[in-house]
Amino acid sequence: MTVYQPLSGLHRPVVIDPGVANFPDLHLDIYCPPGGGVDPSAAADLCRKLGILFENQGAEVFTAVQDRRFQGADLAGDTAVLTARRPTTLSLEIRTRESRQIRYPWSYALAYATLTLAPATTELTFTQDVVIRDERGGLLVTDTFRGRIVRRAGAGVWLGNKFLDWVAREPEEELTGEVAAEDFSADLYRQLSQMVFNATMRASVLSLGLPEGDGR
Amino acid sequence: MIGLYSLLFLFRDDPAPGLRHSKAESRRLDCTWLDDHAASARRPGQVTTAPPSGDSVERSVMLCAERLLAPGVRSEGDEAVLRELQALTNGIAASASSRFPDLANSTWLVEAFHPSALVSAKLIFAAKNALSAWGMAVSDRLPTLAVGDAGVLTSLAPLSAYPAACARFAASGSLRPTDALLTLVHLDSRETILHAGICVNGAWSWLQ
């Protein structure tokens, strides 16, 4: 069973609704550099999902695993579209790294001794640094998210939690299945949507990348 | 031994969701990993540190702080601003100080425009504290507009209204040449940041 716990940033209050068209006039470049324990395919997958997130909110999105300003067109997205794109308004870079990984060897021994009635436990703490810049590279918004993934493997913990999910927990409190991944994705998408919205507002105020006729 | 360990392991106070904590309870906490000495300094007497001679145990401690108000007491928008109030206002004061060093001897007036009057009051108070901490003189006075000016300005778009109001403050003498007006603005109900502008001698500048 995998459990997700937001440590900081990921569960901050969010006002924006990622389910509506928040960015009809936005051109967004998304960079997801690999490294820090994240391999290129995982980085590209993250970029692809974030691209869909912002496209669904009305933005024109281009994704890459490296910032084109420094690395050329090493794209996770469609290179043909890149050449025909309109000028970028904002760029979002998200760097994920594993901060610490802990295995509890005693828990493995205990799981072995109890035929997995006691769980074998590992946990991973990760950090995501997010930076949003305007098209000239000016810093608009930056934030750091930290979260924790705890994996408890064993028949006892799985059966116990499955039983509790069935008989005692409200649907939003359930822990088994793909809930951890879904909760983390929901948190990340909400926070990134809020950050991009805040960045567009700041860009407007600072007259950096204002949409035409919007008070500039 | 195995039994003792299992009790310790299964019933330690881990803030992750599970048998002891619901997801809602876990989400009320802001947590961070610290080494044992840093954690002991933050929570004296609650953390056992390694002996001075050292040992073979690598200790790390997760320290958590609970949100001051339970979820739902304040709106998410108000909570987002007020939760970061000190950092937001300190950042604005630092930015004002570095961008306008020649205003160090001015008298700073602060006004705030937020949909919630209560939040506006808290913003003003926090901003004045932050400016004071940077060595600037603050005043409770606020510039005023004539009724006719206010009627015109409220018909303008926000990004145009603040510079226009600034010019009127100076022209009417409501804002003195030795004054600097810091204005905190919440422009859109969907944002969780604050914008700030400074009005000096009728000239308006957006800080952020």
Side-chain angles (χ1 to χ4, degrees):
Chain A
M1 190 187 76
T2 302
V3 174
Y4 154 69
Q5 180 195 1
L7 294 180
S8 64
L10 284 161
H11 53 330
R12 193 173 291 149
V14 166
V15 182
I16 204 165
D17 177 4
V20 301
N22 296 300
F23 311 113
D25 302 317
L26 177 67
H27 316 293
L28 184 67
D29 277 1
I30 302 176
Y31 306 114
C32 312
V38 178
D39 61 49
S41 65
D45 192 43
L46 173 63
C47 250
R48 182 183 60 78
K49 290 175 179 171
L50 295 182
I52 293 170
L53 168 72
F54 287 104
E55 280 175 353
N56 287 343
Q57 294 180 67
E60 183 181 88
V61 179
F62 300 92
T63 59
V65 292
Q66 292 291 340
D67 190 331
R68 283 177 302 98
R69 289 173 298 188
F70 308 114
Q71 284 289 329
D74 181 12
L75 294 174
D78 186 350
T79 53
V81 179
L82 180 67
T83 56
R85 70 184 185 83
R86 289 178 286 169
T88 301
T89 301
L90 298 181
S91 71
L92 181 155
E93 181 179 290
I94 178 165
R95 289 180 183 272
T96 304
R97 62 181 190 278
E98 295 177 1
S99 308
R100 56 188 295 142
Q101 188 163 18
I102 306 174
R103 294 178 194 279
Y104 297 97
W106 270 102
S107 73
Y108 280 83
L110 195 62
Y112 182 77
T114 61
L115 299 177
T116 75
L117 281 176
T121 304
T122 58
E123 68 172 83
L124 168 73
T125 302
F126 60 88
T127 301
Q128 292 180 306
D129 297 311
V130 184
V131 177
I132 301 178
R133 298 178 185 275
D134 64 15
E135 56 195 324
R136 292 182 293 183
L139 181 64
L140 291 172
V141 179
T142 180
D143 210 340
T144 298
F145 305 138
R146 292 187 180 85
R148 178 179 178 225
I149 302 290
V150 182
R151 291 193 176 91
R152 301 183 180 114
V157 72
W158 188 86
L159 286 171
N161 279 285
K162 200 70 181 174
F163 178 74
L164 288 174
D165 281 358
W166 278 336
V167 301
R169 289 180 179 138
E170 298 292 325
E172 66 272 13
E173 286 289 341
E174 290 182 358
L175 292 177
T176 58
E178 298 299 316
V179 169
E182 291 166 4
D183 286 352
F184 166 63
S185 296
D187 275 352
L188 180 64
Y189 295 165
R190 280 159 42 92
Q191 293 299 332
L192 290 178
S193 298
Q194 185 69 62
M195 280 186 74
V196 170
F197 187 82
N198 289 345
T200 59
M201 292 300 297
R202 184 157 286 166
S204 297
V205 165
L206 297 175
S207 296
L208 301 171
L210 257 181
E212 285 184 13
D214 193 5
R216 186 160 47 174
Chain B
M1 179 66 187
I2 288 177
L4 282 175
Y5 177 79
S6 64
L7 283 175
L8 179 68
F9 191 80
L10 291 174
F11 295 101
R12 65 186 182 144
D13 192 12
D14 188 331
L19 291 177
R20 296 193 59 176
H21 298 285
S22 68
K23 282 202 282 190
E25 288 170 345
S26 183
R27 293 179 70 82
R28 281 183 212 144
L29 303 172
D30 275 321
C31 299
T32 185
W33 283 108
L34 295 172
D35 65 48
D36 54 344
H37 289 285
S40 179
R42 294 262 292 270
R43 304 271 176 91
Q46 295 183 27
V47 178
T48 306
T49 57
S53 56
D55 58 21
S56 58
V57 179
E58 184 183 335
R59 292 174 172 82
S60 55
V61 181
M62 178 178 283
L63 283 191
C64 296
E66 196 169 1
R67 280 168 74 161
L68 286 177
L69 293 181
V73 174
R74 291 195 288 227
S75 74
E76 291 288 280
D78 292 355
E79 178 69 20
V81 171
L82 294 178
R83 203 177 182 194
E84 310 286 333
L85 186 57
Q86 190 172 12
L88 284 171
T89 51
N90 278 343
I92 289 168
S95 178
S97 174
S98 60
R99 286 267 304 274
F100 299 94
D102 50 327
L103 297 179
N105 296 321
S106 297
T107 300
W108 285 78
L109 287 58
V110 181
E111 61 180 2
F113 295 95
H114 190 279
S116 161
L118 190 64
V119 175
S120 289
K122 288 177 185 289
L123 289 174
I124 291 172
F125 185 78
K128 285 178 180 171
N129 275 346
L131 289 169
S132 296
W134 281 85
M136 300 177 196
V138 296
S139 168
D140 288 334
R141 188 163 44 86
L142 278 177
T144 53
L145 289 169
V147 175
D149 288 338
V152 172
L153 291 171
T154 52
S155 67
L156 298 176
L159 292 178
S160 309
Y162 291 104
C166 174
R168 291 303 304 153
F169 286 147
S172 65
S174 176
L175 196 66
R176 301 167 190 160
T178 55
D179 290 340
L181 173 65
L182 172 65
T183 304
L184 307 177
V185 185
H186 190 257
L187 283 173
D188 191 300
S189 61
R190 294 171 293 170
E191 66 181 345
T192 56
I193 56 171
L194 290 174
H195 307 284
I198 288 185
C199 175
V200 180
N201 290 324
W204 175 265
S205 305
W206 285 105
L207 266 183
Q208 63 180 45

PDB file of all heavy atoms in Angstrom, chain B residues 49-78:
ATOM      1  N   THR B  49      19.036  13.523  21.096  1.00  0.00           N
ATOM      2  CA  THR B  49      20.133  13.709  20.144  1.00  0.00           C
ATOM      3  C   THR B  49      21.210  12.653  20.371  1.00  0.00           C
ATOM      4  O   THR B  49      21.247  11.991  21.400  1.00  0.00           O
ATOM      5  CB  THR B  49      20.757  15.113  20.305  1.00  0.00           C
ATOM      6  OG1 THR B  49      21.185  15.244  21.654  1.00  0.00           O
ATOM      7  CG2 THR B  49      19.752  16.193  19.990  1.00  0.00           C
ATOM      8  N   ALA B  50      22.088  12.531  19.379  1.00  0.00           N
ATOM      9  CA  ALA B  50      23.198  11.587  19.498  1.00  0.00           C
ATOM     10  C   ALA B  50      24.134  12.061  20.603  1.00  0.00           C
ATOM     11  O   ALA B  50      24.294  13.269  20.820  1.00  0.00           O
ATOM     12  CB  ALA B  50      23.947  11.513  18.173  1.00  0.00           C
ATOM     13  N   PRO B  51      24.769  11.150  21.336  1.00  0.00           N
ATOM     14  CA  PRO B  51      25.719  11.569  22.369  1.00  0.00           C
ATOM     15  C   PRO B  51      26.911  12.267  21.720  1.00  0.00           C
ATOM     16  O   PRO B  51      27.194  12.058  20.534  1.00  0.00           O
ATOM     17  CB  PRO B  51      26.135  10.245  23.028  1.00  0.00           C
ATOM     18  CG  PRO B  51      25.830   9.200  22.024  1.00  0.00           C
ATOM     19  CD  PRO B  51      24.661   9.686  21.235  1.00  0.00           C
ATOM     20  N   PRO B  52      27.594  13.123  22.513  1.00  0.00           N
ATOM     21  CA  PRO B  52      28.738  13.866  21.949  1.00  0.00           C
ATOM     22  C   PRO B  52      29.790  12.964  21.311  1.00  0.00           C
ATOM     23  O   PRO B  52      30.443  13.352  20.338  1.00  0.00           O
ATOM     24  CB  PRO B  52      29.310  14.606  23.159  1.00  0.00           C
ATOM     25  CG  PRO B  52      28.177  14.698  24.121  1.00  0.00           C
ATOM     26  CD  PRO B  52      27.335  13.482  23.913  1.00  0.00           C
ATOM     27  N   SER B  53      29.958  11.768  21.850  1.00  0.00           N
ATOM     28  CA  SER B  53      30.961  10.866  21.276  1.00  0.00           C
ATOM     29  C   SER B  53      30.462  10.207  19.997  1.00  0.00           C
ATOM     30  O   SER B  53      31.206   9.518  19.310  1.00  0.00           O
ATOM     31  CB  SER B  53      31.309   9.784  22.300  1.00  0.00           C
ATOM     32  OG  SER B  53      30.127   9.116  22.701  1.00  0.00           O
ATOM     33  N   GLY B  54      29.202  10.425  19.692  1.00  0.00           N
ATOM     34  CA  GLY B  54      28.643   9.851  18.468  1.00  0.00           C
ATOM     35  C   GLY B  54      28.224   8.412  18.661  1.00  0.00           C
ATOM     36  O   GLY B  54      28.583   7.762  19.641  1.00  0.00           O
ATOM     37  N   ASP B  55      27.448   7.906  17.748  1.00  0.00           N
ATOM     38  CA  ASP B  55      27.088   6.491  17.735  1.00  0.00           C
ATOM     39  C   ASP B  55      26.818   6.091  16.287  1.00  0.00           C
ATOM     40  O   ASP B  55      27.012   6.876  15.366  1.00  0.00           O
ATOM     41  CB  ASP B  55      25.896   6.191  18.653  1.00  0.00           C
ATOM     42  CG  ASP B  55      24.656   7.003  18.280  1.00  0.00           C
ATOM     43  OD1 ASP B  55      24.584   7.469  17.122  1.00  0.00           O
ATOM     44  OD2 ASP B  55      23.781   7.173  19.134  1.00  0.00           O
ATOM     45  N   SER B  56      26.391   4.896  16.105  1.00  0.00           N
ATOM     46  CA  SER B  56      26.229   4.399  14.735  1.00  0.00           C
ATOM     47  C   SER B  56      24.821   4.632  14.194  1.00  0.00           C
ATOM     48  O   SER B  56      24.484   4.163  13.116  1.00  0.00           O
ATOM     49  CB  SER B  56      26.517   2.890  14.717  1.00  0.00           C
ATOM     50  OG  SER B  56      25.643   2.229  15.620  1.00  0.00           O
ATOM     51  N   VAL B  57      24.028   5.381  14.942  1.00  0.00           N
ATOM     52  CA  VAL B  57      22.639   5.581  14.528  1.00  0.00           C
ATOM     53  C   VAL B  57      22.506   6.904  13.771  1.00  0.00           C
ATOM     54  O   VAL B  57      22.964   7.939  14.256  1.00  0.00           O
ATOM     55  CB  VAL B  57      21.701   5.591  15.755  1.00  0.00           C
ATOM     56  CG1 VAL B  57      20.261   5.813  15.323  1.00  0.00           C
ATOM     57  CG2 VAL B  57      21.845   4.291  16.521  1.00  0.00           C
ATOM     58  N   GLU B  58      21.899   6.861  12.603  1.00  0.00           N
ATOM     59  CA  GLU B  58      21.630   8.092  11.870  1.00  0.00           C
ATOM     60  C   GLU B  58      20.220   8.536  12.219  1.00  0.00           C
ATOM     61  O   GLU B  58      19.245   7.842  11.953  1.00  0.00           O
ATOM     62  CB  GLU B  58      21.737   7.851  10.359  1.00  0.00           C
ATOM     63  CG  GLU B  58      21.552   9.129   9.565  1.00  0.00           C
ATOM     64  CD  GLU B  58      21.574   8.868   8.071  1.00  0.00           C
ATOM     65  OE1 GLU B  58      22.186   7.860   7.666  1.00  0.00           O
ATOM     66  OE2 GLU B  58      20.964   9.647   7.334  1.00  0.00           O
ATOM     67  N   ARG B  59      20.158   9.691  12.867  1.00  0.00           N
ATOM     68  CA  ARG B  59      18.855  10.159  13.332  1.00  0.00           C
ATOM     69  C   ARG B  59      18.346  11.263  12.424  1.00  0.00           C
ATOM     70  O   ARG B  59      19.089  12.143  12.002  1.00  0.00           O
ATOM     71  CB  ARG B  59      18.978  10.708  14.750  1.00  0.00           C
ATOM     72  CG  ARG B  59      19.292   9.667  15.809  1.00  0.00           C
ATOM     73  CD  ARG B  59      19.529  10.350  17.146  1.00  0.00           C
ATOM     74  NE  ARG B  59      19.641   9.398  18.248  1.00  0.00           N
ATOM     75  CZ  ARG B  59      20.748   8.748  18.544  1.00  0.00           C
ATOM     76  NH1 ARG B  59      21.842   8.939  17.815  1.00  0.00           N
ATOM     77  NH2 ARG B  59      20.777   7.896  19.552  1.00  0.00           N
ATOM     78  N   SER B  60      17.075  11.234  12.171  1.00  0.00           N
ATOM     79  CA  SER B  60      16.423  12.350  11.505  1.00  0.00           C
ATOM     80  C   SER B  60      15.020  12.459  12.085  1.00  0.00           C
ATOM     81  O   SER B  60      14.438  11.467  12.521  1.00  0.00           O
ATOM     82  CB  SER B  60      16.369  12.150   9.991  1.00  0.00           C
ATOM     83  OG  SER B  60      15.758  10.923   9.693  1.00  0.00           O
ATOM     84  N   VAL B  61      14.540  13.675  12.111  1.00  0.00           N
ATOM     85  CA  VAL B  61      13.276  13.955  12.786  1.00  0.00           C
ATOM     86  C   VAL B  61      12.375  14.728  11.847  1.00  0.00           C
ATOM     87  O   VAL B  61      12.822  15.656  11.168  1.00  0.00           O
ATOM     88  CB  VAL B  61      13.517  14.794  14.062  1.00  0.00           C
ATOM     89  CG1 VAL B  61      12.212  15.068  14.790  1.00  0.00           C
ATOM     90  CG2 VAL B  61      14.506  14.097  14.979  1.00  0.00           C
ATOM     91  N   MET B  62      11.120  14.322  11.799  1.00  0.00           N
ATOM     92  CA  MET B  62      10.157  15.103  11.035  1.00  0.00           C
ATOM     93  C   MET B  62       9.392  15.994  12.009  1.00  0.00           C
ATOM     94  O   MET B  62       8.692  15.496  12.883  1.00  0.00           O
ATOM     95  CB  MET B  62       9.194  14.193  10.277  1.00  0.00           C
ATOM     96  CG  MET B  62       8.155  14.980   9.511  1.00  0.00           C
ATOM     97  SD  MET B  62       7.057  13.930   8.561  1.00  0.00           S
ATOM     98  CE  MET B  62       8.117  13.523   7.210  1.00  0.00           C
ATOM     99  N   LEU B  63       9.570  17.305  11.828  1.00  0.00           N
ATOM    100  CA  LEU B  63       8.850  18.253  12.673  1.00  0.00           C
ATOM    101  C   LEU B  63       7.649  18.788  11.909  1.00  0.00           C
ATOM    102  O   LEU B  63       7.763  19.168  10.747  1.00  0.00           O
ATOM    103  CB  LEU B  63       9.751  19.425  13.057  1.00  0.00           C
ATOM    104  CG  LEU B  63      10.779  19.205  14.146  1.00  0.00           C
ATOM    105  CD1 LEU B  63      11.378  20.544  14.557  1.00  0.00           C
ATOM    106  CD2 LEU B  63      10.171  18.525  15.351  1.00  0.00           C
ATOM    107  N   CYS B  64       6.514  18.815  12.556  1.00  0.00           N
ATOM    108  CA  CYS B  64       5.290  19.269  11.902  1.00  0.00           C
ATOM    109  C   CYS B  64       4.664  20.419  12.693  1.00  0.00           C
ATOM    110  O   CYS B  64       4.758  20.458  13.917  1.00  0.00           O
ATOM    111  CB  CYS B  64       4.279  18.129  11.800  1.00  0.00           C
ATOM    112  SG  CYS B  64       4.859  16.772  10.754  1.00  0.00           S
ATOM    113  N   ALA B  65       4.046  21.325  11.972  1.00  0.00           N
ATOM    114  CA  ALA B  65       3.298  22.422  12.582  1.00  0.00           C
ATOM    115  C   ALA B  65       1.886  22.395  12.031  1.00  0.00           C
ATOM    116  O   ALA B  65       1.693  22.248  10.812  1.00  0.00           O
ATOM    117  CB  ALA B  65       3.964  23.760  12.280  1.00  0.00           C
ATOM    118  N   GLU B  66       0.928  22.547  12.916  1.00  0.00           N
ATOM    119  CA  GLU B  66      -0.463  22.492  12.478  1.00  0.00           C
ATOM    120  C   GLU B  66      -0.938  23.879  12.061  1.00  0.00           C
ATOM    121  O   GLU B  66      -0.481  24.894  12.586  1.00  0.00           O
ATOM    122  CB  GLU B  66      -1.341  21.972  13.629  1.00  0.00           C
ATOM    123  CG  GLU B  66      -2.708  21.531  13.178  1.00  0.00           C
ATOM    124  CD  GLU B  66      -3.447  20.780  14.270  1.00  0.00           C
ATOM    125  OE1 GLU B  66      -2.892  20.621  15.376  1.00  0.00           O
ATOM    126  OE2 GLU B  66      -4.565  20.354  14.019  1.00  0.00           O
ATOM    127  N   ARG B  67      -1.852  23.917  11.092  1.00  0.00           N
ATOM    128  CA  ARG B  67      -2.439  25.186  10.680  1.00  0.00           C
ATOM    129  C   ARG B  67      -3.138  25.820  11.867  1.00  0.00           C
ATOM    130  O   ARG B  67      -3.776  25.143  12.663  1.00  0.00           O
ATOM    131  CB  ARG B  67      -3.455  24.964   9.556  1.00  0.00           C
ATOM    132  CG  ARG B  67      -2.820  24.791   8.206  1.00  0.00           C
ATOM    133  CD  ARG B  67      -3.810  24.284   7.184  1.00  0.00           C
ATOM    134  NE  ARG B  67      -4.750  25.297   6.769  1.00  0.00           N
ATOM    135  CZ  ARG B  67      -5.462  25.214   5.638  1.00  0.00           C
ATOM    136  NH1 ARG B  67      -5.312  24.196   4.832  1.00  0.00           N
ATOM    137  NH2 ARG B  67      -6.310  26.157   5.315  1.00  0.00           N
ATOM    138  N   LEU B  68      -3.013  27.156  11.989  1.00  0.00           N
ATOM    139  CA  LEU B  68      -3.587  27.829  13.150  1.00  0.00           C
ATOM    140  C   LEU B  68      -5.104  27.700  13.179  1.00  0.00           C
ATOM    141  O   LEU B  68      -5.699  27.476  14.222  1.00  0.00           O
ATOM    142  CB  LEU B  68      -3.193  29.313  13.126  1.00  0.00           C
ATOM    143  CG  LEU B  68      -1.749  29.610  13.502  1.00  0.00           C
ATOM    144  CD1 LEU B  68      -1.464  31.096  13.372  1.00  0.00           C
ATOM    145  CD2 LEU B  68      -1.441  29.134  14.904  1.00  0.00           C
ATOM    146  N   LEU B  69      -5.717  27.851  12.018  1.00  0.00           N
ATOM    147  CA  LEU B  69      -7.173  27.760  11.970  1.00  0.00           C
ATOM    148  C   LEU B  69      -7.580  26.502  11.219  1.00  0.00           C
ATOM    149  O   LEU B  69      -6.951  26.127  10.227  1.00  0.00           O
ATOM    150  CB  LEU B  69      -7.765  28.980  11.265  1.00  0.00           C
ATOM    151  CG  LEU B  69      -7.615  30.316  11.992  1.00  0.00           C
ATOM    152  CD1 LEU B  69      -8.275  31.430  11.190  1.00  0.00           C
ATOM    153  CD2 LEU B  69      -8.244  30.245  13.374  1.00  0.00           C
ATOM    154  N   ALA B  70      -8.637  25.873  11.685  1.00  0.00           N
ATOM    155  CA  ALA B  70      -9.122  24.664  11.020  1.00  0.00           C
ATOM    156  C   ALA B  70      -9.622  25.013   9.619  1.00  0.00           C
ATOM    157  O   ALA B  70     -10.092  26.136   9.380  1.00  0.00           O
ATOM    158  CB  ALA B  70     -10.248  24.066  11.836  1.00  0.00           C
ATOM    159  N   PRO B  71      -9.523  24.071   8.679  1.00  0.00           N
ATOM    160  CA  PRO B  71     -10.026  24.326   7.332  1.00  0.00           C
ATOM    161  C   PRO B  71     -11.501  24.710   7.371  1.00  0.00           C
ATOM    162  O   PRO B  71     -12.284  24.147   8.129  1.00  0.00           O
ATOM    163  CB  PRO B  71      -9.821  22.976   6.635  1.00  0.00           C
ATOM    164  CG  PRO B  71      -8.750  22.297   7.407  1.00  0.00           C
ATOM    165  CD  PRO B  71      -8.915  22.747   8.819  1.00  0.00           C
ATOM    166  N   GLY B  72     -11.866  25.700   6.559  1.00  0.00           N
ATOM    167  CA  GLY B  72     -13.258  26.119   6.480  1.00  0.00           C
ATOM    168  C   GLY B  72     -13.581  27.335   7.322  1.00  0.00           C
ATOM    169  O   GLY B  72     -14.611  27.977   7.116  1.00  0.00           O
ATOM    170  N   VAL B  73     -12.715  27.665   8.275  1.00  0.00           N
ATOM    171  CA  VAL B  73     -12.985  28.845   9.098  1.00  0.00           C
ATOM    172  C   VAL B  73     -12.842  30.111   8.258  1.00  0.00           C
ATOM    173  O   VAL B  73     -13.655  31.028   8.344  1.00  0.00           O
ATOM    174  CB  VAL B  73     -12.029  28.885  10.311  1.00  0.00           C
ATOM    175  CG1 VAL B  73     -12.208  30.189  11.090  1.00  0.00           C
ATOM    176  CG2 VAL B  73     -12.293  27.692  11.218  1.00  0.00           C
ATOM    177  N   ARG B  74     -11.799  30.167   7.445  1.00  0.00           N
ATOM    178  CA  ARG B  74     -11.623  31.288   6.531  1.00  0.00           C
ATOM    179  C   ARG B  74     -11.777  30.780   5.107  1.00  0.00           C
ATOM    180  O   ARG B  74     -11.568  29.587   4.846  1.00  0.00           O
ATOM    181  CB  ARG B  74     -10.228  31.908   6.689  1.00  0.00           C
ATOM    182  CG  ARG B  74     -10.035  32.627   7.982  1.00  0.00           C
ATOM    183  CD  ARG B  74      -8.819  33.522   7.965  1.00  0.00           C
ATOM    184  NE  ARG B  74      -7.571  32.804   7.999  1.00  0.00           N
ATOM    185  CZ  ARG B  74      -6.559  33.108   8.809  1.00  0.00           C
ATOM    186  NH1 ARG B  74      -6.672  34.114   9.632  1.00  0.00           N
ATOM    187  NH2 ARG B  74      -5.442  32.424   8.776  1.00  0.00           N
ATOM    188  N   SER B  75     -12.104  31.661   4.182  1.00  0.00           N
ATOM    189  CA  SER B  75     -12.173  31.244   2.777  1.00  0.00           C
ATOM    190  C   SER B  75     -10.760  30.869   2.302  1.00  0.00           C
ATOM    191  O   SER B  75      -9.764  31.347   2.861  1.00  0.00           O
ATOM    192  CB  SER B  75     -12.730  32.371   1.915  1.00  0.00           C
ATOM    193  OG  SER B  75     -11.763  33.386   1.756  1.00  0.00           O
ATOM    194  N   GLU B  76     -10.697  30.032   1.290  1.00  0.00           N
ATOM    195  CA  GLU B  76      -9.389  29.593   0.787  1.00  0.00           C
ATOM    196  C   GLU B  76      -8.562  30.788   0.308  1.00  0.00           C
ATOM    197  O   GLU B  76      -7.354  30.837   0.495  1.00  0.00           O
ATOM    198  CB  GLU B  76      -9.578  28.591  -0.351  1.00  0.00           C
ATOM    199  CG  GLU B  76     -10.139  27.257   0.094  1.00  0.00           C
ATOM    200  CD  GLU B  76      -9.133  26.433   0.869  1.00  0.00           C
ATOM    201  OE1 GLU B  76      -8.270  25.809   0.258  1.00  0.00           O
ATOM    202  OE2 GLU B  76      -9.228  26.415   2.117  1.00  0.00           O
ATOM    203  N   GLY B  77      -9.224  31.760  -0.320  1.00  0.00           N
ATOM    204  CA  GLY B  77      -8.505  32.942  -0.814  1.00  0.00           C
ATOM    205  C   GLY B  77      -7.904  33.748   0.319  1.00  0.00           C
ATOM    206  O   GLY B  77      -6.744  34.155   0.268  1.00  0.00           O
ATOM    207  N   ASP B  78      -8.705  33.993   1.361  1.00  0.00           N
ATOM    208  CA  ASP B  78      -8.196  34.736   2.516  1.00  0.00           C
ATOM    209  C   ASP B  78      -7.093  33.947   3.207  1.00  0.00           C
ATOM    210  O   ASP B  78      -6.065  34.498   3.615  1.00  0.00           O
ATOM    211  CB  ASP B  78      -9.319  35.010   3.512  1.00  0.00           C
ATOM    212  CG  ASP B  78     -10.343  35.993   2.970  1.00  0.00           C
ATOM    213  OD1 ASP B  78     -10.123  36.519   1.873  1.00  0.00           O
ATOM    214  OD2 ASP B  78     -11.356  36.211   3.661  1.00  0.00           O
TER     215      ASP B  78
END
